[in-house]
Amino acid sequence: MSGDAGPGASGAPQLDAAIHQPTRLAVVAFLSACDEAEFAAVRDCCQVSDSVLSKAASALEAVGYVAIRKGYAGKRARTWLSLTDAGHLALTGHLAALQGIADTARSAGTRARAGGVGE
């Protein structure tokens, strides 16, 4: 789980430690729906401070999930964030792992009810 959303020993998708943290997951989820977003838009949607978003974006950039582009809009410095192909794959794998956990719990609950456990 070190930034790798690839399959585990069982072949099932694994949770990705690089995006599992709530702020990073929110950033990746937000960016998955757009080509690129201005830093302030991501910050406002994720309801975090500039410093929290900056740290999350840097961590995601370090593992190759987010690209950070700096430039100017008129005379004002701006920062844009975008999700890389690796970031899209990581999010897909992470969501599949979460769904797998939910499916396992659902199956266990169904088996428990069918077996009369808890009655």
Side-chain angles (χ1 to χ4, degrees):
M1 285 200 308
S2 60
D4 181 7
S10 67
Q14 299 294 302
L15 293 175
D16 189 320
I19 61 174
H20 190 68
Q21 192 270 345
T23 299
R24 289 187 227 146
L25 183 56
V27 169
V28 170
F30 181 86
L31 293 174
S32 72
C34 55
D35 291 333
E36 184 175 66
E38 190 174 347
F39 185 93
V42 179
R43 177 200 62 216
D44 294 347
C45 177
C46 296
Q47 299 179 347
V48 295
S49 67
D50 286 354
S51 65
V52 168
L53 178 55
S54 181
K55 288 176 187 174
S58 293
L60 292 165
E61 182 184 39
V63 294
Y65 292 172
V66 167
I68 300 174
R69 181 174 67 87
K70 295 186 180 277
Y72 288 88
K75 293 184 178 186
R76 300 191 66 164
R78 295 282 185 236
T79 300
W80 293 271
L81 306 175
S82 59
L83 196 59
T84 64
D85 290 341
H88 280 283
L89 288 172
L91 178 61
T92 299
H94 191 79
L95 293 175
L98 289 170
Q99 187 61 57
I101 293 167
D103 292 345
T104 299
R106 190 174 300 110
S107 294
T110 300
R111 284 193 307 271
R113 283 191 298 280
V117 174
E119 291 180 9

